[in-house]
Amino acid sequence: MDKLDMGSCSTINNDIDVSLYFEFYEGPLEYNSTKCLELWQDIIEVKVLSMSTLLRCFNAPGFLLTTQKNTPLGTKLKYEVDTSGIFHINQELCKMFPKQDMPYHHSQFKKCVVVGNGGILKNSGCDREIDSADFVFQCNLPPISEKYFMDVGVKTDIVTVNPSIITERFHKLEKWRKPFYDVLQVYENASVLLLAFYNTHNMDVSIRVKYVLDDFESQQAIYYFHLHYLINILRYWFGQGVRAKRISTGLILVTAALELCKEVQLFGFWIFPMNPSGIFITHHYYDNVKPCLGFHSVPSEIFNFLHTHSKGILRVHTGTCSCC
């Protein structure tokens, strides 16, 4: 493969070793599972999270999002699931990626909040706590309307959209383009983050999101999770006991936040039918629709969050918030 300018979709730069960026990826790149497990053990023993350690494992500032720098024109990739299929980063797709460096860097934010959709948020009154954060991640187009804002706030800097949501709620954007656009406007200037490289279907609908926003002249930024960042996270958390076909979007965001932020707090991360006080709660704060079984391993993810909470690495909110 030629050495291409990782900050451009057309020019050549002989200083770039494109082989580093996974032509026909068959194993971990700069990821060392044994080393990372050792680092994690060091972290939980000292009870202080040194992000320089996790940075060696995942490097969210360089690889969380797909950019022209880390995935240049001409790169060949395999999908995360359909590894028999190979797709090429062509001119059209390359232009959809940010040109150079990541828009976020290590420890850029002091306090970050990741908001899950758990029913434990209902009647929590945590809007002020959430909205006071420097950066807020929201998972999978959650409702933040007036009906819910006292519990979940209104601040959103990044909102993820799983392609399954686009398929099921918006009919693959083949007809329901305007309703989808209208939903995104609720999050105002928030960037939209998509899991595009899971398989061919995800890729198609994720690219369609970019076209829809362009058609409506939206200023919202569209980003795609980097394929190999996801693979490395999956392998790491598998070693921590999260045994599932796919880790949740929430776990991906929490992992990224631990690298990008000095302080991380979680709201709405709860999968159990009762809260810690033994009171029954709905599955989501906005409905009681149960998830499909066998895809994610959310209970084991929650237990990992609680474990890191007990070590002072992050904070998991499981109760109501103070009104003052």
Side-chain angles (χ1 to χ4, degrees):
M1 184 185 297
D2 293 334
K3 295 177 180 179
L4 305 176
D5 179 4
M6 297 166 75
S8 168
C9 291
S10 59
T11 58
I12 295 176
N13 180 348
N14 289 325
D15 294 330
I16 301 301
D17 181 8
V18 178
S19 64
L20 176 64
Y21 299 101
F22 34 77
E23 181 177 20
F24 304 131
Y25 177 87
E26 294 181 351
L29 297 170
E30 298 178 351
Y31 174 81
N32 183 315
S33 58
T34 301
K35 183 60 177 175
C36 289
L37 289 174
E38 292 173 356
L39 292 171
W40 187 260
Q41 188 62 37
D42 291 342
I43 289 169
I44 63 177
E45 285 178 356
V46 301
K47 299 186 180 182
V48 176
L49 185 59
S50 172
M51 292 323 304
S52 62
T53 56
L54 281 183
L55 195 62
R56 295 178 226 167
C57 299
F58 308 126
N59 189 12
F63 282 92
L64 173 63
L65 308 182
T66 307
T67 68
Q68 292 177 27
K69 183 174 181 179
N70 62 34
T71 311
L73 175 67
T75 303
K76 299 177 183 179
L77 296 171
K78 290 183 178 181
Y79 293 104
E80 185 179 347
V81 173
D82 182 15
T83 55
S84 62
I86 298 169
F87 68 93
H88 299 248
I89 303 300
N90 58 27
Q91 189 86 7
E92 182 179 10
L93 186 57
C94 182
K95 288 181 178 179
M96 294 183 180
F97 304 153
K99 286 187 177 181
Q100 286 287 345
D101 295 327
M102 291 272 293
Y104 315 111
H105 55 79
H106 173 51
S107 295
Q108 177 178 0
F109 310 104
K110 180 179 179 181
K111 175 185 174 182
C112 291
V113 162
V114 186
V115 185
N117 301 329
I120 200 164
L121 262 177
K122 191 173 182 180
N123 299 321
S124 66
C126 287
D127 58 320
R128 292 187 183 181
E129 288 276 351
I130 293 170
D131 288 344
S132 67
D134 299 304
F135 200 87
V136 176
F137 300 85
Q138 296 275 1
C139 298
N140 296 328
L141 291 183
I144 55 173
S145 62
E146 184 176 350
K147 181 178 180 180
Y148 305 108
F149 77 81
M150 291 293 291
D151 297 325
V152 302
V154 295
K155 182 177 175 66
T156 306
D157 294 284
I158 279 184
V159 60
T160 61
V161 186
N162 277 356
S164 60
I165 294 174
I166 302 170
T167 298
E168 295 166 9
R169 288 176 54 185
F170 302 101
H171 302 275
K172 304 179 184 179
L173 297 179
E174 293 173 351
K175 294 181 180 180
W176 289 39
R177 296 162 60 87
K178 183 61 163 60
F180 177 73
Y181 169 76
D182 290 341
V183 167
L184 287 184
Q185 300 320 292
V186 174
Y187 306 97
E188 297 182 344
N189 296 321
S191 299
V192 180
L193 185 53
L194 296 127
L195 291 155
F197 302 117
Y198 186 68
N199 55 25
T200 303
H201 169 74
N202 281 23
M203 188 72 179
D204 291 343
V205 296
S206 296
I207 291 175
R208 209 167 289 159
V209 170
K210 173 64 175 173
Y211 294 148
V212 168
L213 293 190
D214 284 349
D215 287 346
F216 286 100
E217 300 182 349
S218 171
Q219 298 302 307
Q220 286 179 286
I222 300 293
Y223 298 123
Y224 303 103
F225 280 113
H226 195 288
L227 172 61
H228 298 286
Y229 185 80
L230 298 178
I231 290 173
N232 285 342
I233 287 180
L234 177 62
R235 291 181 175 182
Y236 175 78
W237 285 109
F238 187 85
Q240 297 298 314
V242 181
R243 305 298 174 88
K245 293 181 181 178
R246 193 73 164 79
I247 60 176
S248 72
T249 305
L251 181 55
I252 297 170
L253 291 180
V254 171
T255 306
L258 286 170
E259 289 193 60
L260 299 174
C261 313
K262 295 179 180 178
E263 175 188 345
V264 177
Q265 298 189 24
L266 311 186
F267 293 82
F269 281 87
W270 197 257
I271 193 65
F272 312 108
M274 292 186 294
N275 66 18
S277 300
I279 299 173
F280 283 96
I281 56 176
T282 56
H283 186 70
H284 299 124
Y285 68 83
Y286 49 86
D287 66 32
N288 198 31
V289 177
K290 302 298 193 297
C292 297
L293 298 177
F295 195 65
H296 297 309
S297 181
V298 179
S300 62
E301 293 184 10
I302 299 298
F303 284 128
N304 271 283
F305 293 149
L306 295 175
H307 179 66
T308 52
H309 170 96
S310 70
K311 299 298 182 180
I313 297 169
L314 50 71
R315 182 181 178 190
V316 181
H317 289 264
T318 58
T320 58
C321 296
S322 172
C323 64
C324 304

